[in-house]
Amino acid sequence: MAAFPDVEKIVYEGPESKNPLAFRWYREDEVVEGKTMKDHFRFSVVYWHTFRGTGADPFGPGTMYRPWEDGTDSVENAKNRVRAAFEFMEKLGSPYYAFHDRDVAPEGASLAETNKNLDEVVAVMKEEQQRTGIKLLWGTANLFSNPRYMHGASTSCNADAFAFAAAQVKKCLEVTKELGGVNYVFWGGREGYQNLLNTDMKRELDHMARFMHLAVDYAKEIGFTGQFLIEPKPKEPTKHQYDSDAAACINYLRAYDLLDHFKLNIETNHATLAGHTMMHELDYAGHQGALGSIDANTGDLMLGWDTDQFPTNYYLTAEVMLILLKYGGLAPGGVNFDAKVRRESFEPIDLFHAHVGGMDTFARGLKIAAEIRAEGELDAFVKQRYGSWDAGIGAEIESGSADFEALEAYMLQKGDIEPNVSGRQEMLENLFNRYM
Ligand code: XUL
Ligand code: CO
């Protein structure tokens, strides 16, 4: 039985369309800057919010109406859910998806039983991937929900928690490989701390690095060639998350000799919780050669937590796409909608509205960004703003030929600096608006 019997395949109808279940901007084979939209975005649907989100919040239980669910935590129900998920993704036209091990199959009474449950459901996922051609963007292990991880997983004070997490990631790497996943993500759910009075931070950080190295070694051993990604987030659930932002992650990876094996999966709402814009985080990762993938969503100006809303703001997606175009795109990463419908949007059809809107918002953002780049005014402005470095003393500093003595001699002779150019922020913000 179909899970979404009333929905046909979503098609492109163009900007004039008033059909809420049609794309107005996303046309997968439209070429922008030499690449199809499909290849620019590599859109991905997340299993956890879209197929496991119940709408529960701290004040009340779930609200979602999901007729394909039988209300049990059985393997059978999990298999039916896989079929519903692939029907959804096929009708949406999403080429990729992402999951945590525990999203797709129920935990059993022992690790052995849990692994067996996972294998059974993964067999159906593989079948559905083959039937539809939909691919796995990334797998990840849920190392944060089970109470065994209350103190963390690889950073737990309990060595057994580290061992259990290792077993879980080992299995999840095998499954991700089995499904042809092109990335593997670590989001350090409970890898952080609430209070230093009970925490040996250095020891925890050393343990986390050991864990990452073990994962890299095991991937090599089994021939998993997907890209490893770390997903920065500054707080929630712990007060001090170790992977707080792009710069902190890159410093950590470099310090522990992991930078050759990892890139970053940057999430919009995590960037803003860290007090950064998404653009900042992307550019930081980009210029460090660590831009891997994005979790696309948005926060809420009025709320200071990870609201995981679908992106609907062209300004935001135009900024994101400017940076992605600047660094040559994301592949093998993608644009993964780590976003959930609001608790009040309880009907299955709302899942379509949310994703169609997100994809269209990105497509429009791409077109705006490509136009800005084609006109070249922004780039030209930045280039001339730094013009003092292109010749004379600036060029000598950059090339390393001017030392402190030479710079002192230069300044003694010149006397003082002259202001060279205005920042023109307001003019540039107006310029950006011209393309909206
Ligand atoms: C949590 C979050 C996770 C990761 C995967 O805020 O974003 O869902 O994306 O574990
Ligand atoms: Co995420």
Side-chain angles (χ1 to χ4, degrees), residues 143 149 151-159 161-166 169 186 188 190-192 203-212 242 252:
L143 304 177
Y149 298 126
H151 302 291
S154 68
T155 64
S156 178
C157 51
N158 184 342
F162 184 110
F164 200 104
V169 169
F186 287 92
R190 294 192 191 272
E191 314 293 36
R203 206 165 182 185
E204 293 199 0
L205 290 170
D206 287 350
H207 293 166
M208 186 160 81
R210 183 93 289 276
F211 196 86
M212 305 285 181
Y242 290 136
Y252 180 81

PDB file of all heavy atoms in Angstrom, residues 143 149 151-159 161-166 169 186 188 190-192 203-212 242 252:
ATOM      1  N   LEU A 143      25.299   7.948  18.987  1.00  0.00           N
ATOM      2  CA  LEU A 143      26.086   7.699  20.206  1.00  0.00           C
ATOM      3  C   LEU A 143      25.648   8.676  21.295  1.00  0.00           C
ATOM      4  O   LEU A 143      26.476   9.154  22.077  1.00  0.00           O
ATOM      5  CB  LEU A 143      27.581   7.864  19.909  1.00  0.00           C
ATOM      6  CG  LEU A 143      28.168   7.016  18.771  1.00  0.00           C
ATOM      7  CD1 LEU A 143      29.641   7.335  18.555  1.00  0.00           C
ATOM      8  CD2 LEU A 143      27.990   5.524  19.048  1.00  0.00           C
ATOM      9  N   TYR A 149      25.246   6.313  27.195  1.00  0.00           N
ATOM     10  CA  TYR A 149      26.122   7.416  26.782  1.00  0.00           C
ATOM     11  C   TYR A 149      25.874   8.694  27.583  1.00  0.00           C
ATOM     12  O   TYR A 149      26.156   9.792  27.099  1.00  0.00           O
ATOM     13  CB  TYR A 149      25.952   7.687  25.282  1.00  0.00           C
ATOM     14  CG  TYR A 149      26.339   6.509  24.415  1.00  0.00           C
ATOM     15  CD1 TYR A 149      25.457   5.983  23.468  1.00  0.00           C
ATOM     16  CD2 TYR A 149      27.598   5.905  24.544  1.00  0.00           C
ATOM     17  CE1 TYR A 149      25.816   4.906  22.677  1.00  0.00           C
ATOM     18  CE2 TYR A 149      27.959   4.817  23.750  1.00  0.00           C
ATOM     19  CZ  TYR A 149      27.064   4.326  22.819  1.00  0.00           C
ATOM     20  OH  TYR A 149      27.420   3.252  22.030  1.00  0.00           O
ATOM     21  N   HIS A 151      27.435  10.036  29.930  1.00  0.00           N
ATOM     22  CA  HIS A 151      28.659  10.830  30.142  1.00  0.00           C
ATOM     23  C   HIS A 151      29.409  11.078  28.838  1.00  0.00           C
ATOM     24  O   HIS A 151      30.540  11.578  28.863  1.00  0.00           O
ATOM     25  CB  HIS A 151      29.625  10.093  31.076  1.00  0.00           C
ATOM     26  CG  HIS A 151      29.078   9.767  32.421  1.00  0.00           C
ATOM     27  ND1 HIS A 151      28.789  10.721  33.378  1.00  0.00           N
ATOM     28  CD2 HIS A 151      28.743   8.570  32.988  1.00  0.00           C
ATOM     29  CE1 HIS A 151      28.330  10.133  34.471  1.00  0.00           C
ATOM     30  NE2 HIS A 151      28.282   8.832  34.260  1.00  0.00           N
ATOM     31  N   GLY A 152      28.824  10.682  27.734  1.00  0.00           N
ATOM     32  CA  GLY A 152      29.535  10.771  26.461  1.00  0.00           C
ATOM     33  C   GLY A 152      29.767   9.378  25.920  1.00  0.00           C
ATOM     34  O   GLY A 152      29.426   8.369  26.556  1.00  0.00           O
ATOM     35  N   ALA A 153      30.343   9.307  24.731  1.00  0.00           N
ATOM     36  CA  ALA A 153      30.641   8.007  24.110  1.00  0.00           C
ATOM     37  C   ALA A 153      32.157   7.815  24.151  1.00  0.00           C
ATOM     38  O   ALA A 153      32.684   7.273  25.118  1.00  0.00           O
ATOM     39  CB  ALA A 153      30.086   7.962  22.696  1.00  0.00           C
ATOM     40  N   SER A 154      32.880   8.341  23.140  1.00  0.00           N
ATOM     41  CA  SER A 154      34.347   8.193  23.187  1.00  0.00           C
ATOM     42  C   SER A 154      34.948   9.062  24.284  1.00  0.00           C
ATOM     43  O   SER A 154      36.094   8.858  24.674  1.00  0.00           O
ATOM     44  CB  SER A 154      34.957   8.537  21.831  1.00  0.00           C
ATOM     45  OG  SER A 154      34.820   9.904  21.542  1.00  0.00           O
ATOM     46  N   THR A 155      34.210  10.029  24.801  1.00  0.00           N
ATOM     47  CA  THR A 155      34.748  10.900  25.861  1.00  0.00           C
ATOM     48  C   THR A 155      34.156  10.560  27.226  1.00  0.00           C
ATOM     49  O   THR A 155      34.245  11.354  28.163  1.00  0.00           O
ATOM     50  CB  THR A 155      34.480  12.390  25.557  1.00  0.00           C
ATOM     51  OG1 THR A 155      33.058  12.607  25.551  1.00  0.00           O
ATOM     52  CG2 THR A 155      35.055  12.796  24.212  1.00  0.00           C
ATOM     53  N   SER A 156      33.543   9.393  27.326  1.00  0.00           N
ATOM     54  CA  SER A 156      32.948   9.014  28.611  1.00  0.00           C
ATOM     55  C   SER A 156      34.030   8.728  29.657  1.00  0.00           C
ATOM     56  O   SER A 156      35.140   8.295  29.314  1.00  0.00           O
ATOM     57  CB  SER A 156      32.085   7.761  28.416  1.00  0.00           C
ATOM     58  OG  SER A 156      31.537   7.359  29.653  1.00  0.00           O
ATOM     59  N   CYS A 157      33.658   8.915  30.931  1.00  0.00           N
ATOM     60  CA  CYS A 157      34.554   8.513  32.033  1.00  0.00           C
ATOM     61  C   CYS A 157      34.541   6.987  32.175  1.00  0.00           C
ATOM     62  O   CYS A 157      35.359   6.418  32.885  1.00  0.00           O
ATOM     63  CB  CYS A 157      34.089   9.177  33.326  1.00  0.00           C
ATOM     64  SG  CYS A 157      32.324   8.932  33.633  1.00  0.00           S
ATOM     65  N   ASN A 158      33.609   6.342  31.505  1.00  0.00           N
ATOM     66  CA  ASN A 158      33.449   4.886  31.599  1.00  0.00           C
ATOM     67  C   ASN A 158      34.035   4.229  30.339  1.00  0.00           C
ATOM     68  O   ASN A 158      33.481   4.371  29.243  1.00  0.00           O
ATOM     69  CB  ASN A 158      31.953   4.578  31.734  1.00  0.00           C
ATOM     70  CG  ASN A 158      31.676   3.103  31.937  1.00  0.00           C
ATOM     71  OD1 ASN A 158      32.526   2.253  31.660  1.00  0.00           O
ATOM     72  ND2 ASN A 158      30.475   2.804  32.414  1.00  0.00           N
ATOM     73  N   ALA A 159      35.128   3.513  30.490  1.00  0.00           N
ATOM     74  CA  ALA A 159      35.808   2.923  29.328  1.00  0.00           C
ATOM     75  C   ALA A 159      34.902   1.961  28.569  1.00  0.00           C
ATOM     76  O   ALA A 159      35.048   1.785  27.350  1.00  0.00           O
ATOM     77  CB  ALA A 159      37.087   2.208  29.766  1.00  0.00           C
ATOM     78  N   ALA A 161      31.822   2.412  27.886  1.00  0.00           N
ATOM     79  CA  ALA A 161      31.012   3.205  26.945  1.00  0.00           C
ATOM     80  C   ALA A 161      31.815   3.431  25.662  1.00  0.00           C
ATOM     81  O   ALA A 161      31.271   3.344  24.550  1.00  0.00           O
ATOM     82  CB  ALA A 161      30.609   4.533  27.572  1.00  0.00           C
ATOM     83  N   PHE A 162      33.107   3.713  25.796  1.00  0.00           N
ATOM     84  CA  PHE A 162      33.998   3.850  24.633  1.00  0.00           C
ATOM     85  C   PHE A 162      33.963   2.558  23.815  1.00  0.00           C
ATOM     86  O   PHE A 162      33.813   2.566  22.588  1.00  0.00           O
ATOM     87  CB  PHE A 162      35.422   4.158  25.137  1.00  0.00           C
ATOM     88  CG  PHE A 162      36.439   4.409  24.050  1.00  0.00           C
ATOM     89  CD1 PHE A 162      36.968   5.692  23.846  1.00  0.00           C
ATOM     90  CD2 PHE A 162      36.907   3.376  23.234  1.00  0.00           C
ATOM     91  CE1 PHE A 162      37.914   5.933  22.850  1.00  0.00           C
ATOM     92  CE2 PHE A 162      37.863   3.604  22.252  1.00  0.00           C
ATOM     93  CZ  PHE A 162      38.365   4.881  22.054  1.00  0.00           C
ATOM     94  N   ALA A 163      34.079   1.431  24.515  1.00  0.00           N
ATOM     95  CA  ALA A 163      34.130   0.136  23.816  1.00  0.00           C
ATOM     96  C   ALA A 163      32.816  -0.134  23.088  1.00  0.00           C
ATOM     97  O   ALA A 163      32.803  -0.585  21.934  1.00  0.00           O
ATOM     98  CB  ALA A 163      34.431  -0.981  24.813  1.00  0.00           C
ATOM     99  N   PHE A 164      31.699   0.172  23.746  1.00  0.00           N
ATOM    100  CA  PHE A 164      30.401  -0.054  23.107  1.00  0.00           C
ATOM    101  C   PHE A 164      30.269   0.841  21.877  1.00  0.00           C
ATOM    102  O   PHE A 164      29.847   0.388  20.797  1.00  0.00           O
ATOM    103  CB  PHE A 164      29.243   0.197  24.090  1.00  0.00           C
ATOM    104  CG  PHE A 164      27.956  -0.459  23.651  1.00  0.00           C
ATOM    105  CD1 PHE A 164      27.497  -1.624  24.264  1.00  0.00           C
ATOM    106  CD2 PHE A 164      27.216   0.068  22.608  1.00  0.00           C
ATOM    107  CE1 PHE A 164      26.327  -2.248  23.833  1.00  0.00           C
ATOM    108  CE2 PHE A 164      26.039  -0.540  22.176  1.00  0.00           C
ATOM    109  CZ  PHE A 164      25.605  -1.709  22.794  1.00  0.00           C
ATOM    110  N   ALA A 165      30.654   2.085  22.035  1.00  0.00           N
ATOM    111  CA  ALA A 165      30.570   3.030  20.910  1.00  0.00           C
ATOM    112  C   ALA A 165      31.442   2.553  19.748  1.00  0.00           C
ATOM    113  O   ALA A 165      31.067   2.673  18.579  1.00  0.00           O
ATOM    114  CB  ALA A 165      30.995   4.424  21.366  1.00  0.00           C
ATOM    115  N   ALA A 166      32.603   2.002  20.063  1.00  0.00           N
ATOM    116  CA  ALA A 166      33.500   1.495  19.021  1.00  0.00           C
ATOM    117  C   ALA A 166      32.825   0.355  18.255  1.00  0.00           C
ATOM    118  O   ALA A 166      32.860   0.307  17.021  1.00  0.00           O
ATOM    119  CB  ALA A 166      34.808   1.024  19.645  1.00  0.00           C
ATOM    120  N   VAL A 169      30.171   1.912  15.990  1.00  0.00           N
ATOM    121  CA  VAL A 169      30.704   2.589  14.795  1.00  0.00           C
ATOM    122  C   VAL A 169      31.276   1.565  13.812  1.00  0.00           C
ATOM    123  O   VAL A 169      31.138   1.699  12.599  1.00  0.00           O
ATOM    124  CB  VAL A 169      31.747   3.663  15.190  1.00  0.00           C
ATOM    125  CG1 VAL A 169      32.491   4.177  13.960  1.00  0.00           C
ATOM    126  CG2 VAL A 169      31.058   4.817  15.900  1.00  0.00           C
ATOM    127  N   PHE A 186      30.531  12.097  11.931  1.00  0.00           N
ATOM    128  CA  PHE A 186      30.576  12.104  13.388  1.00  0.00           C
ATOM    129  C   PHE A 186      30.011  13.433  13.871  1.00  0.00           C
ATOM    130  O   PHE A 186      30.616  14.478  13.627  1.00  0.00           O
ATOM    131  CB  PHE A 186      32.015  12.016  13.906  1.00  0.00           C
ATOM    132  CG  PHE A 186      32.641  10.671  13.754  1.00  0.00           C
ATOM    133  CD1 PHE A 186      33.387  10.364  12.626  1.00  0.00           C
ATOM    134  CD2 PHE A 186      32.500   9.722  14.743  1.00  0.00           C
ATOM    135  CE1 PHE A 186      33.984   9.114  12.490  1.00  0.00           C
ATOM    136  CE2 PHE A 186      33.088   8.470  14.615  1.00  0.00           C
ATOM    137  CZ  PHE A 186      33.831   8.167  13.493  1.00  0.00           C
ATOM    138  N   GLY A 188      29.383  14.915  17.462  1.00  0.00           N
ATOM    139  CA  GLY A 188      29.720  14.536  18.838  1.00  0.00           C
ATOM    140  C   GLY A 188      28.607  14.836  19.811  1.00  0.00           C
ATOM    141  O   GLY A 188      28.749  15.661  20.707  1.00  0.00           O
ATOM    142  N   ARG A 190      27.145  13.717  22.653  1.00  0.00           N
ATOM    143  CA  ARG A 190      27.406  13.992  24.078  1.00  0.00           C
ATOM    144  C   ARG A 190      28.897  14.108  24.363  1.00  0.00           C
ATOM    145  O   ARG A 190      29.352  13.943  25.493  1.00  0.00           O
ATOM    146  CB  ARG A 190      26.736  12.939  24.967  1.00  0.00           C
ATOM    147  CG  ARG A 190      25.225  13.033  24.879  1.00  0.00           C
ATOM    148  CD  ARG A 190      24.468  12.259  25.907  1.00  0.00           C
ATOM    149  NE  ARG A 190      23.069  12.242  25.536  1.00  0.00           N
ATOM    150  CZ  ARG A 190      22.177  13.179  25.889  1.00  0.00           C
ATOM    151  NH1 ARG A 190      22.521  14.179  26.673  1.00  0.00           N
ATOM    152  NH2 ARG A 190      20.929  13.092  25.472  1.00  0.00           N
ATOM    153  N   GLU A 191      29.667  14.393  23.305  1.00  0.00           N
ATOM    154  CA  GLU A 191      31.115  14.566  23.471  1.00  0.00           C
ATOM    155  C   GLU A 191      31.395  16.006  23.879  1.00  0.00           C
ATOM    156  O   GLU A 191      31.632  16.881  23.049  1.00  0.00           O
ATOM    157  CB  GLU A 191      31.872  14.195  22.186  1.00  0.00           C
ATOM    158  CG  GLU A 191      31.452  12.888  21.523  1.00  0.00           C
ATOM    159  CD  GLU A 191      31.785  11.630  22.332  1.00  0.00           C
ATOM    160  OE1 GLU A 191      31.706  11.663  23.579  1.00  0.00           O
ATOM    161  OE2 GLU A 191      32.092  10.599  21.688  1.00  0.00           O
ATOM    162  N   GLY A 192      31.368  16.226  25.166  1.00  0.00           N
ATOM    163  CA  GLY A 192      31.580  17.554  25.725  1.00  0.00           C
ATOM    164  C   GLY A 192      31.339  17.425  27.217  1.00  0.00           C
ATOM    165  O   GLY A 192      31.322  16.310  27.737  1.00  0.00           O
ATOM    166  N   ARG A 203      42.130  14.398  28.960  1.00  0.00           N
ATOM    167  CA  ARG A 203      42.021  12.947  28.790  1.00  0.00           C
ATOM    168  C   ARG A 203      40.859  12.612  27.843  1.00  0.00           C
ATOM    169  O   ARG A 203      40.963  11.743  26.979  1.00  0.00           O
ATOM    170  CB  ARG A 203      41.796  12.320  30.167  1.00  0.00           C
ATOM    171  CG  ARG A 203      42.267  10.899  30.229  1.00  0.00           C
ATOM    172  CD  ARG A 203      42.370  10.413  31.665  1.00  0.00           C
ATOM    173  NE  ARG A 203      42.866   9.042  31.668  1.00  0.00           N
ATOM    174  CZ  ARG A 203      42.975   8.289  32.750  1.00  0.00           C
ATOM    175  NH1 ARG A 203      42.628   8.777  33.934  1.00  0.00           N
ATOM    176  NH2 ARG A 203      43.424   7.056  32.660  1.00  0.00           N
ATOM    177  N   GLU A 204      39.762  13.333  27.991  1.00  0.00           N
ATOM    178  CA  GLU A 204      38.605  13.082  27.121  1.00  0.00           C
ATOM    179  C   GLU A 204      38.946  13.390  25.657  1.00  0.00           C
ATOM    180  O   GLU A 204      38.576  12.654  24.748  1.00  0.00           O
ATOM    181  CB  GLU A 204      37.394  13.909  27.584  1.00  0.00           C
ATOM    182  CG  GLU A 204      36.858  13.465  28.940  1.00  0.00           C
ATOM    183  CD  GLU A 204      35.433  13.928  29.230  1.00  0.00           C
ATOM    184  OE1 GLU A 204      34.826  14.613  28.383  1.00  0.00           O
ATOM    185  OE2 GLU A 204      34.929  13.578  30.310  1.00  0.00           O
ATOM    186  N   LEU A 205      39.660  14.494  25.447  1.00  0.00           N
ATOM    187  CA  LEU A 205      40.014  14.860  24.066  1.00  0.00           C
ATOM    188  C   LEU A 205      40.971  13.831  23.460  1.00  0.00           C
ATOM    189  O   LEU A 205      40.851  13.469  22.287  1.00  0.00           O
ATOM    190  CB  LEU A 205      40.619  16.268  24.028  1.00  0.00           C
ATOM    191  CG  LEU A 205      39.612  17.388  24.312  1.00  0.00           C
ATOM    192  CD1 LEU A 205      40.329  18.724  24.501  1.00  0.00           C
ATOM    193  CD2 LEU A 205      38.590  17.515  23.183  1.00  0.00           C
ATOM    194  N   ASP A 206      41.892  13.347  24.273  1.00  0.00           N
ATOM    195  CA  ASP A 206      42.809  12.292  23.791  1.00  0.00           C
ATOM    196  C   ASP A 206      42.011  11.041  23.400  1.00  0.00           C
ATOM    197  O   ASP A 206      42.281  10.413  22.379  1.00  0.00           O
ATOM    198  CB  ASP A 206      43.821  11.907  24.884  1.00  0.00           C
ATOM    199  CG  ASP A 206      44.875  12.987  25.108  1.00  0.00           C
ATOM    200  OD1 ASP A 206      44.935  13.942  24.297  1.00  0.00           O
ATOM    201  OD2 ASP A 206      45.620  12.876  26.097  1.00  0.00           O
ATOM    202  N   HIS A 207      41.022  10.699  24.220  1.00  0.00           N
ATOM    203  CA  HIS A 207      40.221   9.500  23.939  1.00  0.00           C
ATOM    204  C   HIS A 207      39.427   9.664  22.638  1.00  0.00           C
ATOM    205  O   HIS A 207      39.319   8.735  21.844  1.00  0.00           O
ATOM    206  CB  HIS A 207      39.251   9.215  25.092  1.00  0.00           C
ATOM    207  CG  HIS A 207      39.945   8.814  26.362  1.00  0.00           C
ATOM    208  ND1 HIS A 207      39.305   8.790  27.587  1.00  0.00           N
ATOM    209  CD2 HIS A 207      41.223   8.432  26.603  1.00  0.00           C
ATOM    210  CE1 HIS A 207      40.164   8.403  28.523  1.00  0.00           C
ATOM    211  NE2 HIS A 207      41.333   8.181  27.956  1.00  0.00           N
ATOM    212  N   MET A 208      38.883  10.853  22.460  1.00  0.00           N
ATOM    213  CA  MET A 208      38.086  11.072  21.247  1.00  0.00           C
ATOM    214  C   MET A 208      38.981  10.905  20.005  1.00  0.00           C
ATOM    215  O   MET A 208      38.555  10.319  18.999  1.00  0.00           O
ATOM    216  CB  MET A 208      37.431  12.456  21.277  1.00  0.00           C
ATOM    217  CG  MET A 208      36.468  12.717  20.137  1.00  0.00           C
ATOM    218  SD  MET A 208      35.318  14.063  20.484  1.00  0.00           S
ATOM    219  CE  MET A 208      36.328  15.476  20.124  1.00  0.00           C
ATOM    220  N   ALA A 209      40.203  11.408  20.096  1.00  0.00           N
ATOM    221  CA  ALA A 209      41.124  11.282  18.955  1.00  0.00           C
ATOM    222  C   ALA A 209      41.472   9.811  18.706  1.00  0.00           C
ATOM    223  O   ALA A 209      41.551   9.358  17.561  1.00  0.00           O
ATOM    224  CB  ALA A 209      42.386  12.094  19.202  1.00  0.00           C
ATOM    225  N   ARG A 210      41.695   9.071  19.798  1.00  0.00           N
ATOM    226  CA  ARG A 210      41.962   7.633  19.665  1.00  0.00           C
ATOM    227  C   ARG A 210      40.819   6.974  18.893  1.00  0.00           C
ATOM    228  O   ARG A 210      41.000   6.190  17.976  1.00  0.00           O
ATOM    229  CB  ARG A 210      42.081   7.035  21.080  1.00  0.00           C
ATOM    230  CG  ARG A 210      42.431   5.571  21.177  1.00  0.00           C
ATOM    231  CD  ARG A 210      43.948   5.371  21.300  1.00  0.00           C
ATOM    232  NE  ARG A 210      44.679   5.660  20.075  1.00  0.00           N
ATOM    233  CZ  ARG A 210      44.854   4.803  19.071  1.00  0.00           C
ATOM    234  NH1 ARG A 210      44.364   3.586  19.126  1.00  0.00           N
ATOM    235  NH2 ARG A 210      45.543   5.139  18.004  1.00  0.00           N
ATOM    236  N   PHE A 211      39.609   7.363  19.269  1.00  0.00           N
ATOM    237  CA  PHE A 211      38.400   6.803  18.654  1.00  0.00           C
ATOM    238  C   PHE A 211      38.366   7.092  17.142  1.00  0.00           C
ATOM    239  O   PHE A 211      38.112   6.206  16.325  1.00  0.00           O
ATOM    240  CB  PHE A 211      37.175   7.411  19.341  1.00  0.00           C
ATOM    241  CG  PHE A 211      35.892   6.667  19.086  1.00  0.00           C
ATOM    242  CD1 PHE A 211      35.525   5.594  19.875  1.00  0.00           C
ATOM    243  CD2 PHE A 211      35.043   7.064  18.066  1.00  0.00           C
ATOM    244  CE1 PHE A 211      34.334   4.909  19.646  1.00  0.00           C
ATOM    245  CE2 PHE A 211      33.855   6.382  17.829  1.00  0.00           C
ATOM    246  CZ  PHE A 211      33.498   5.306  18.619  1.00  0.00           C
ATOM    247  N   MET A 212      38.650   8.337  16.794  1.00  0.00           N
ATOM    248  CA  MET A 212      38.635   8.730  15.376  1.00  0.00           C
ATOM    249  C   MET A 212      39.704   7.951  14.602  1.00  0.00           C
ATOM    250  O   MET A 212      39.461   7.516  13.482  1.00  0.00           O
ATOM    251  CB  MET A 212      38.941  10.228  15.210  1.00  0.00           C
ATOM    252  CG  MET A 212      38.042  11.153  15.990  1.00  0.00           C
ATOM    253  SD  MET A 212      36.435  11.287  15.237  1.00  0.00           S
ATOM    254  CE  MET A 212      35.643  12.429  16.332  1.00  0.00           C
ATOM    255  N   TYR A 242      32.825  19.636  22.461  1.00  0.00           N
ATOM    256  CA  TYR A 242      34.222  19.721  22.018  1.00  0.00           C
ATOM    257  C   TYR A 242      34.326  20.198  20.567  1.00  0.00           C
ATOM    258  O   TYR A 242      35.271  20.890  20.214  1.00  0.00           O
ATOM    259  CB  TYR A 242      34.917  18.370  22.195  1.00  0.00           C
ATOM    260  CG  TYR A 242      35.130  18.037  23.657  1.00  0.00           C
ATOM    261  CD1 TYR A 242      34.856  16.761  24.148  1.00  0.00           C
ATOM    262  CD2 TYR A 242      35.587  18.996  24.549  1.00  0.00           C
ATOM    263  CE1 TYR A 242      35.052  16.457  25.485  1.00  0.00           C
ATOM    264  CE2 TYR A 242      35.776  18.713  25.889  1.00  0.00           C
ATOM    265  CZ  TYR A 242      35.512  17.440  26.358  1.00  0.00           C
ATOM    266  OH  TYR A 242      35.701  17.149  27.676  1.00  0.00           O
ATOM    267  N   TYR A 252      41.450  20.911  16.283  1.00  0.00           N
ATOM    268  CA  TYR A 252      41.485  19.590  16.922  1.00  0.00           C
ATOM    269  C   TYR A 252      42.025  18.529  15.958  1.00  0.00           C
ATOM    270  O   TYR A 252      42.911  17.739  16.293  1.00  0.00           O
ATOM    271  CB  TYR A 252      40.067  19.221  17.382  1.00  0.00           C
ATOM    272  CG  TYR A 252      39.989  17.878  18.056  1.00  0.00           C
ATOM    273  CD1 TYR A 252      40.340  17.731  19.392  1.00  0.00           C
ATOM    274  CD2 TYR A 252      39.571  16.753  17.345  1.00  0.00           C
ATOM    275  CE1 TYR A 252      40.284  16.486  20.014  1.00  0.00           C
ATOM    276  CE2 TYR A 252      39.513  15.516  17.952  1.00  0.00           C
ATOM    277  CZ  TYR A 252      39.872  15.384  19.283  1.00  0.00           C
ATOM    278  OH  TYR A 252      39.817  14.159  19.885  1.00  0.00           O
TER     279      TYR A 252
END
